[in-house]
Amino acid sequence: MIDRADTETVLYRVAISAFTYYPGKEAEEPGYTVEEDLAWCLAPLAAHPAIVDELRTRIRLLITDPTADRRGFLATLAQLAGDH
């Protein structure tokens, strides 16, 4: 089980990253990459590399696709925190 504070931090960071992302951001903001946002979002889970690997693709999609279904991600975070 992962500390609930860490999963809440991941949720907050994914939400901020998704809200501030827009197509063409990498071209308009020199130095910005989605990888930078991914690293920031996943940092609270750094002690759990298998979970980071599992969530990386999903979080990338949540950041870059405003139509992506977030319910599964929220359920996964709740399960990781033991809130099932």
Side-chain angles (χ1 to χ4, degrees):
M1 188 171 357
I2 295 175
D3 188 316
R4 183 177 184 166
D6 290 338
T7 61
E8 288 176 355
T9 301
V10 170
L11 176 59
Y12 168 80
R13 291 178 179 194
V14 170
I16 294 297
S17 296
F19 188 73
T20 59
Y21 178 84
Y22 55 90
K25 184 174 182 176
E26 290 177 307
E28 290 185 21
E29 293 187 25
Y32 168 81
T33 66
V34 173
E35 292 300 318
E36 175 182 289
D37 278 351
L38 280 170
W40 180 62
C41 291
L42 291 166
L45 303 177
H48 309 279
I51 294 170
V52 168
D53 289 343
E54 176 186 328
L55 293 177
R56 182 177 302 281
T57 300
R58 184 184 286 180
I59 291 174
R60 178 190 309 279
L61 180 64
L62 293 173
I63 291 171
T64 60
D65 182 357
T67 65
D69 186 358
R70 282 135 172 85
R71 292 174 293 178
F73 177 67
L74 295 173
T76 298
L77 289 181
Q79 184 178 29
L80 290 172
D83 297 338
H84 28 142

